[in-house]
Amino acid sequence: MRRLNQYARAFGRRELTLAGASVVAIIVFATTSPYFATADNLATVLRNSTELLLVSLGMTLLLAMGSIDVSVGMVLGLAAIAVGRLLQAEIDPLLAALAGPLAGAALGLITGLVVVFANIPAIVATLGLLGVYRAAIFLALGGGWLSGLPTGLTTLLSSKLAGIPVAALVVAGAYGAVWAALRRTPYGPHLLAIGQSEDAARLAGITVRRTRVATFVLSGVLSGLAATFYVGTYRNVEMTIGSTLALDAIAAVVLGGTSILGGRCSLLGTALGVLLLRLLQNGLLMSGVPSLWQTVVTGVLLLTVLGLERVGSFMPSVRRAGRSV
Amino acid sequence: MTPPLLVAEGISKRFGALTALTGINLEVRAGEVLALLGDNGAGKSTFVKVLAGAHPATDGTLRMDGVPVAFSSPQDAANAGIATIYQELALSENLSIAENVFLGRELVWQVAGVPFLRRRAMQERVADLLHELDAHISDPDAPVGSLSGGQRQAVAICRALNLNARLIIMDEPTAALAVAETRKVLQLIRRLSGRGCAVVLISHNLSDVFEVADRMVVFRRGRKVAERTRAGTDHEEVVSLITGAHPDVRALEQQQS
């Protein structure tokens, strides 16, 4: 029991650190920019976090499973094109909104089947698919942009239910549903067992391949849902859509305490990681730092966290090796 | 006398041109601890892999309760009541004891087709099993990563019992354990046999074997060369059987060659 409390405390510490870092970031940027700490701007940060919150939720599951998907940005892009084309065809905005997650599911299924049945390491397989999907985006857009899309979807998604923005409801619903799946159904222990050791999971009788493909589909659905919000917000789809999304998502998830090696995850950590990342990016922009530096900051943050985890886990792993197992 | 739980008749196993096992006849009774002894490469591990469904036998038959069985996967063997405790324990360190015991076989209740975990029921069942095995683990929610080697063996055994195993195969269960931990695992083996569960044990440690085994079978170059009860033999004789210095083994091997 004491040991369990230690674990709980160790997990909670990461989330507290992130919340603390966010507060510090807000205070620092408030002094460097008069426009940062305004209600309007902070609301914008939250608004701009919607897509990354959804994509990172799927990425959390993939990393927890010992997998990864570096093509999520392209999945978002292709799903956004599907939504955009349907809007152009003057289809009911609600149906167009559903096309996002549907297209995401189809692409997630393709990714999952390629990774699992071709038995290629996920990072390599999804890197290959990233190239293919990027070309597909180029072909679908014909070198131009989808722009000036009809406003129906925007109206739908910017509405409020009982005073709460639809985006907040959808994000909260998605996190709640995934939390319930992890903690209240066999999916949770199966996912984490696969992340810890695929062979052990198979020996235990878990349908490893089905669980893995299902998780890629789920991640695809979340990226597709993010695409719907993207189109609703910006009403255009540009050629470079989603190009830094995978980096942002992986950085936010790792920042949140999910293990890059699999077997451990934190949904709250992911949400806080996304918020901190978006706060930093917005704060730097507001303080006059060129936007090119955003990806530098994200990348350095990712490498720093991974480096610190390596150093931190060095001691326990030595102790584990010494134990009589 | 009760009929044997498991009978192996003329089990042979060839890997291409290599003959790993030749005509093994062997019985395992319920509640008995049977030790398989032999030098490296004698065929003990291949034989238990045949029992566990990991390798199909090239020749011969296996009977459980007198009924012929054929295992094409470890899952088949598990369904027939044969469980293997793997040397490199197949537990998930990041999951709790209860989650490990029920992994892949969770108790659930369906709500609109969605399976929800029955955590309380699983925890209670695991707490009962741990208590029954006298494993000195109080919290089924503790992560397996925090347990000692002997405690992990207990969890693996709980998992096997929970799947209604009637025969548990243990390949070198004490090889990597400290002395105190080894004592606990030997106690666990005794308690298993007390429950009526048969244990097939592979071990190089003869003092462990003499402490828990009811019967010993010696393998040499893929053949069974001797079978002894614990009361009917001693360390010295067993060593000479394993090394081939024993007159019986010499006679047998001269006759074969």
Side-chain angles (χ1 to χ4, degrees), chain A residues 261-284:
Chain A
L261 300 172
R264 196 184 72 206
C265 69
S266 164
L267 298 187
L268 179 61
T270 294
L272 290 169
V274 169
L275 292 180
L276 178 60
L277 200 62
R278 287 294 190 236
L279 269 176
L280 289 176
Q281 291 170 342
N282 174 276
L284 289 172

Side-chain angles (χ1 to χ4, degrees), chain B residues 37-92:
Chain B
L37 303 170
D39 223 333
N40 292 335
K44 307 164 305 219
S45 291
T46 309
F47 182 70
V48 295
K49 278 182 179 148
V50 170
L51 293 190
H55 294 326
T58 315
D59 266 318
T61 51
L62 286 177
R63 286 175 214 277
M64 282 288 275
D65 301 317
V67 184
V69 286
F71 304 140
S72 55
S73 73
Q75 213 67 40
D76 282 357
N79 291 337
I82 299 180
T84 310
I85 311 277
Y86 290 92
Q87 205 165 356
E88 62 295 351
L89 290 171
L91 297 174
S92 288

Side-chain angles (χ1 to χ4, degrees), chain B residues 142-206:
Chain B
V144 164
S146 70
L147 300 181
S148 71
Q151 288 173 318
R152 288 176 197 217
Q153 297 268 357
V155 173
I157 289 169
C158 274
R159 181 171 163 79
L161 290 178
N162 190 49
L163 302 180
N164 297 317
R166 290 183 298 154
L167 192 161
I168 294 185
I169 298 168
M170 300 176 87
D171 191 347
E172 295 285 1
T174 60
L177 297 187
V179 176
E181 292 281 300
T182 299
R183 304 235 60 81
K184 277 191 196 144
V185 171
L186 296 179
Q187 279 169 17
L188 278 175
I189 293 174
R190 283 224 198 83
R191 213 157 273 127
L192 276 177
S193 79
R195 274 173 120 259
C197 188
V199 179
V200 172
L201 173 73
I202 293 182
S203 179
H204 280 99
N205 187 325
L206 285 185

Side-chain angles (χ1 to χ4, degrees), chain A residues 1 3-4 7 180 182-190 192-197 199-206 262-264 320 323-325, chain B residues 74-75 86 90-95 99 103-104 106 108 114-117 119 139 141-143 145-150 152 159 176-178 181:
Chain A
M1 202 62 210
R3 192 71 188 220
L4 195 68
Y7 273 72
L182 286 178
R183 295 304 299 271
R184 294 279 177 257
T185 77
Y187 176 70
H190 291 189
L192 294 174
I194 293 171
Q196 182 78 15
S197 162
D199 290 334
R202 196 171 295 115
L203 274 176
I206 293 173
R264 196 184 72 206
R320 197 177 308 139
R323 198 165 52 201
S324 53
V325 176
Chain B
Q75 213 67 40
Y86 290 92
L91 297 174
S92 288
E93 292 192 13
N94 55 340
L95 300 182
E99 283 170 329
L103 192 62
E106 290 84 358
V108 294
V114 180
F116 284 96
L117 294 170
R119 278 181 184 274
D139 182 10
D141 272 336
S146 70
L147 300 181
S148 71
R152 288 176 197 217
R159 181 171 163 79
L177 297 187
E181 292 281 300

